[in-house]
Amino acid sequence: MAEPNGINERQRELFIRKSTRVAASYLKRAKALSEMPDAAKPFFDVLENIYIKLTDIQKPEDMKSIGTLCVMVPAELIYAAGAMPVRLCSGSYTAYSIGDDYIPRDACPLVKAVMGFAKVGALPAFDNCTMLVAPVTCDCKKKLAGVMDSVKNFSRKNTVPLHVPPLKKDDADTEVFLKELYRLIPILEKETGVQITARSLAEGINMVGNAQYEMSEFLKFRRHDPALISGTQVMAVMNAYSYMPVNLWAEQMHRLNGDMIRRLEQGHFVSRKNQPRILVTGSPIAFPNIKIPLLIEEMGGVLAADETCMGERGLYDPVSVIDPSFDGMMRALASRYIKPCTCPVFVDNSQRIYRIQQLIKEHKIQGVIYHVLRGCLVYDYEYQLMEEAMGKLDIPIIRVESDYNEEDVEQLRIRIEAFIELIKLKELKKEA
Ligand code: SF4
Ligand code: SF4
């Protein structure tokens, strides 16, 4: 029998079989890279529950899920309304192949995967979101926000576009975003039936702040050379943030930091001193599309840092509240989500180069892999600037373009392997 979105039961079954198989194989490869710290396992369990066992998010029953499509949606505001933000940016190849029929050919695979899941209705964590907050950032996200309303089997009642200013230099730009956040408040309150007060907002800021604190502690361990944990496993931990209530994620992160201390004391490392240390930056690396991190580490590199919005960027800067009034907290939120954001959707994004230079120094990076999802123009635009900046630092960089399928894996493997060999050769010459 045909379903509302033209997907019948047989197609849905095939979809589930294929998408769970792909997710399981990527999780297995990530686990096999090196012995996982015990405290990393619950994050993997979360990804397994969401993408393989197809269960909903584990959270209090009365806590609603609000879908978001970008790190620029303030999680603090959603927690203040008694709900949980669920980041719907997905890396599913199977969902992408469904979404490909509904979204223009040249759009990026990430938005196609979001559309594919909405059409099939096979992912409870996705389907149970009662509302979607969609920041208007790049063209792909803007148009996705428009077409998502046409999808019928998604329990979401409405999609709320959130205007993001194209500039972020002046206070006037932050004011634009502040107005948007104020516009969002009654919409969230109506959706959840919970009023956002100064107290609940402060609680929301504290909850996310705790997670950011644990993350900043964790980054100290991630910088360690030799590595204490595989970088691909770190990407999985960061992706699990999208599907866990923030306090549970922070508690588990605290345990992971405990494991990192123990590994440091015992000299338990997962890399050797001379393995090339690589930073990955560019288009989002959303689970299960972790093929780039996996290839880096399977080919002998160490993924020592990332500058991506499904990784460190999402939890890097805490909200800095100077004025504790309601408006003061709202201003602090607007400022935090716009000013330090290094996403290339902003016209002037020189901060991103500065941030990458900082990461290179702190994480002892020897090479940069610049990831561009096919059709992701905003990241592609910034490659040239990044190449020039890396040239000045004498840091090798390569641009790798990928799509949501496994057809490009062999070509990527060859290029990444050659890049790792190049770094090794360069380091040998330095020593000679
Ligand atoms: S790449 Fe930029 S616009 Fe896209 S989700 Fe990440 S932060 Fe948002
Ligand atoms: S920023 Fe790139 S990856 Fe993200 S939605 Fe836009 S085009 Fe797609």
Side-chain angles (χ1 to χ4, degrees):
M1 192 180 74
E3 291 190 354
N5 293 307
I7 309 279
N8 63 37
E9 204 43 50
R10 169 97 183 113
Q11 288 168 312
R12 202 166 161 272
E13 269 171 30
L14 279 175
F15 173 91
I16 291 173
R17 213 176 305 150
K18 198 171 167 202
S19 73
T20 52
R21 186 174 44 78
V22 175
S25 87
Y26 277 106
L27 271 186
K28 193 172 166 201
R29 278 169 68 191
K31 285 180 187 170
L33 283 169
S34 59
E35 191 193 336
M36 268 209 303
D38 285 343
K41 288 178 187 145
F43 296 109
F44 276 71
D45 291 344
V46 166
L47 294 177
E48 189 176 329
N49 289 341
I50 301 296
Y51 278 95
I52 301 167
K53 295 183 178 160
L54 306 180
T55 59
D56 195 5
I57 291 167
Q58 288 182 352
K59 58 177 171 51
E61 247 176 51
D62 57 349
M63 192 183 221
K64 284 195 171 182
S65 292
I66 305 287
T68 69
L69 282 177
C70 174
V71 277
M72 283 185 245
V73 180
E76 294 85 345
L77 211 51
I78 296 176
Y79 282 113
M84 175 190 160
V86 180
R87 177 101 180 262
L88 301 182
C89 297
S90 172
S92 166
Y93 302 167
T94 329
Y96 153 78
S97 64
I98 301 279
D100 199 29
D101 289 340
Y102 301 92
I103 302 253
R105 190 195 62 187
D106 292 337
C108 81
L110 188 145
V111 292
K112 291 181 184 176
V114 174
M115 179 53 114
F117 270 128
K119 285 277 179 191
V120 177
L123 206 72
F126 197 107
D127 300 327
N128 294 341
C129 290
T130 56
M131 186 176 114
L132 178 62
V133 184
V136 179
T137 52
C138 63
D139 283 352
C140 284
K141 286 270 164 85
K142 187 196 296 176
K143 297 310 290 176
L144 178 71
V147 294
M148 281 294 273
D149 268 338
S150 66
V151 187
K152 294 190 182 70
N153 68 351
F154 195 47
S155 66
R156 163 182 45 86
K157 293 182 199 82
N158 58 349
T159 300
V160 183
L162 199 67
H163 179 64
V164 173
L167 296 163
K168 56 178 175 173
K169 257 191 187 154
D170 301 324
D171 288 346
D173 302 317
T174 318
E175 284 292 320
V176 172
F177 196 57
L178 178 66
K179 274 195 197 130
E180 281 297 279
L181 296 188
Y182 268 115
R183 188 177 63 84
L184 186 60
I185 288 178
I187 302 173
L188 282 171
E189 288 177 334
K190 192 170 169 221
E191 182 61 39
T192 62
V194 174
Q195 201 190 346
I196 300 177
T197 62
R199 193 172 167 177
S200 68
L201 187 54
E203 273 168 19
I205 291 174
N206 273 341
M207 281 158 72
V208 179
N210 279 342
Q212 282 161 329
Y213 170 76
E214 293 299 339
M215 178 70 189
S216 66
E217 288 297 292
F218 178 72
L219 288 180
K220 292 180 195 161
F221 300 115
R222 196 181 181 189
R223 282 176 205 140
H224 198 272
D225 180 20
L228 293 159
I229 180 171
S230 130
T232 308
Q233 291 169 1
V234 175
M235 294 302 287
V237 166
M238 295 306 302
N239 267 265
Y241 180 76
S242 300
Y243 312 110
M244 288 172 85
V246 68
N247 51 348
L248 291 187
W249 188 88
E251 275 169 30
Q252 200 50 46
M253 210 56 193
H254 184 73
R255 289 186 197 108
L256 184 57
N257 284 331
D259 278 1
M260 294 292 98
I261 293 172
R262 279 184 286 283
R263 282 195 165 189
L264 196 55
E265 286 168 353
Q266 293 159 3
H268 181 156
F269 304 120
V270 299
S271 73
R272 295 181 308 278
K273 249 295 190 197
N274 58 353
Q275 271 181 271
R277 292 176 66 80
I278 290 170
L279 172 141
V280 71
T281 183
S283 306
I285 294 179
F287 187 78
N289 181 37
I290 53 170
K291 64 182 163 191
I292 303 282
L294 273 172
L295 287 174
I296 293 171
E297 300 206 304
E298 287 173 349
M299 293 295 104
V302 176
L303 179 56
D306 76 273
E307 197 285 316
T308 67
C309 70
M310 291 298 284
E312 287 186 23
R313 192 192 301 160
L315 277 165
Y316 182 65
D317 292 279
V319 177
S320 155
V321 179
I322 299 163
D323 167 8
S325 68
F326 191 86
D327 188 58
M329 287 189 279
M330 288 295 289
R331 284 178 183 279
L333 272 188
S335 177
R336 183 266 179 234
Y337 277 89
I338 292 295
K339 284 196 171 150
C341 184
T342 49
C343 177
V345 293
F346 293 102
V347 176
D348 170 23
N349 197 28
S350 47
Q351 276 160 307
R352 180 157 172 246
I353 291 182
Y354 173 76
R355 175 78 188 125
I356 288 177
Q357 286 168 340
Q358 199 182 22
L359 286 169
I360 287 173
K361 208 168 153 196
E362 289 171 356
H363 293 249
K364 300 193 192 105
I365 297 298
Q366 295 160 315
V368 173
I369 293 191
Y370 197 98
H371 169 233
V372 179
L373 281 176
R374 199 173 67 81
C376 179
L377 290 182
V378 285
Y379 277 99
D380 220 0
Y381 252 103
E382 289 196 355
Y383 177 69
Q384 212 172 344
L385 288 174
M386 204 59 72
E387 198 180 31
E388 282 165 22
M390 292 306 109
K392 285 181 194 150
L393 294 175
D394 193 26
I395 295 283
I397 178 169
I398 47 161
R399 171 189 176 280
V400 292
E401 186 173 317
S402 80
D403 210 341
Y404 277 11
N405 57 50
E406 292 184 310
E407 284 157 26
D408 55 11
V409 168
E410 274 322 302
Q411 196 209 5
L412 288 169
R413 189 191 304 276
I414 293 167
R415 292 198 62 215
I416 290 173
E417 191 176 15
F419 185 65
I420 290 171
E421 289 307 315
L422 177 109
I423 299 172
K424 282 187 191 163
L425 214 65
K426 189 168 172 280
E427 294 303 312
L428 275 178
K429 276 187 190 159
K430 259 198 223 165
E431 284 167 20

